[in-house]
Amino acid sequence: MEISSYLVMALALAAGAVVKGATGMGLPLIALPVLTAVFGLTHAVGLMVVPLIVTNAWQTWRFRAEAKSDRMAFLPLFLAAGVGGIVVGVWLLTTLPERVLVLSLGIILLAYVALRLFKPHLSLSPSAAKRFGPLAGAGGGILQGATGISAPIGVTFIHSMSLTRDAHVFAVSAMFLVYAVTQLPAMWLAGAMRPQWLLEGALALIPILVFMPVGQAIAGKLSRKAFDRLILTFLGLIGLKMVAGF
């Protein structure tokens, strides 16, 4: 592979790391399209497992105080359902074309963003979040296992709760961490993981860990309203990308 390809990959990882540091998400959403273009989807998803485990373990620990919040009551069942969903998703990764699923999810995501723009004060109550959490967790897990990206369901659901920035970052980081830890053995058992990809994932941590603090510094200067707009903008761009198919 040419050195220019490595440079593009490093830039994609660095950009994803900045967004990850600022919002608690965004690393695979930015880096995976570039990595997929170079390696193919299965290789790219496998390569990202190690970075996802390390970065989300870091952010989950950093914001661990939020685990005691009453707003986190939905999280255990949400994560447990996600684990089951990942097993299904990894199977789909090896058997099913993804375009129809991705298109449908992109439309749903854009509909959510539009709803929040027209009704900005809409918020999912803690009781509703606990009730619907397992369904959202399973959907996010299936998407994570099949495509390496769970944000269109998982982050959309968490964002709908209108959490504070720290609580939001803790919840999405805990989700990504559990999903990645589950995804690794599931991919291995399905024959969709290779030792070389784990080594490549470890090397990918270099630009990621360098640039994540940059995103954290940026986010520390944002108001709650600005942070909410940043998340909505990012979700909207994800939806557009999924619908357009590029």
Side-chain angles (χ1 to χ4, degrees):
M1 191 166 60
E2 296 181 0
I3 192 168
S4 59
S5 298
Y6 286 110
L7 180 60
V8 171
M9 289 165 53
L11 290 174
L13 290 166
V18 171
V19 177
K20 171 69 175 172
T23 66
M25 64 181 194
L27 177 56
L29 288 163
I30 293 176
L32 262 177
V34 177
L35 296 175
T36 299
V38 177
F39 297 116
L41 179 62
T42 303
H43 186 164
V45 170
L47 188 156
M48 285 302 299
V49 170
V50 170
L52 287 174
I53 291 173
V54 173
T55 56
N56 287 295
W58 176 13
Q59 288 193 308
T60 300
W61 176 256
R62 185 167 182 257
F63 296 100
R64 64 190 180 281
E66 297 296 331
K68 301 176 183 179
S69 170
D70 292 340
R71 300 297 301 275
M72 294 297 129
F74 79 96
L75 202 54
L77 290 178
F78 174 87
L79 295 177
V83 169
I86 285 175
V87 176
V88 176
V90 169
W91 174 74
L92 293 176
L93 175 65
T94 62
T95 59
L96 193 68
E98 62 187 80
R99 179 58 190 150
V100 173
L101 176 60
V102 171
L103 178 62
S104 300
L105 287 168
I107 293 172
I108 292 170
L109 190 53
L110 289 175
Y112 168 74
V113 172
L115 180 63
R116 285 301 301 262
L117 289 175
F118 286 105
K119 294 192 175 183
H121 301 296
L122 180 68
S123 178
L124 195 64
S125 68
S127 60
K130 192 172 182 179
R131 185 163 61 251
F132 295 110
L135 182 62
I142 291 172
L143 193 58
Q144 176 71 32
T147 69
I149 298 174
S150 57
I153 293 179
V155 174
T156 298
F157 179 79
I158 292 171
H159 181 261
S160 69
M161 297 175 63
S162 299
L163 301 171
T164 64
R165 175 188 175 268
D166 287 0
H168 174 92
V169 174
F170 172 79
V172 298
S173 297
M175 177 188 74
F176 290 139
L177 175 59
V178 171
Y179 284 6
V181 169
T182 305
Q183 189 176 15
L184 176 56
M187 289 186 69
W188 196 277
L189 291 173
M193 176 63 78
R194 300 178 185 175
Q196 177 188 341
W197 301 351
L198 298 178
L199 176 60
E200 292 170 350
L203 293 175
L205 284 170
I206 297 173
I208 292 170
L209 295 181
V210 169
F211 283 93
M212 269 186 66
V214 176
Q216 292 170 351
I218 293 172
K221 299 178 181 179
L222 295 177
S223 66
R224 177 68 183 86
K225 187 175 182 180
F227 179 75
D228 189 64
R229 287 178 176 174
L230 179 63
I231 296 293
L232 273 180
T233 300
F234 195 64
L235 290 174
L237 290 174
I238 297 168
L240 288 173
K241 181 181 180 304
M242 295 177 80
V243 170
F246 59 84

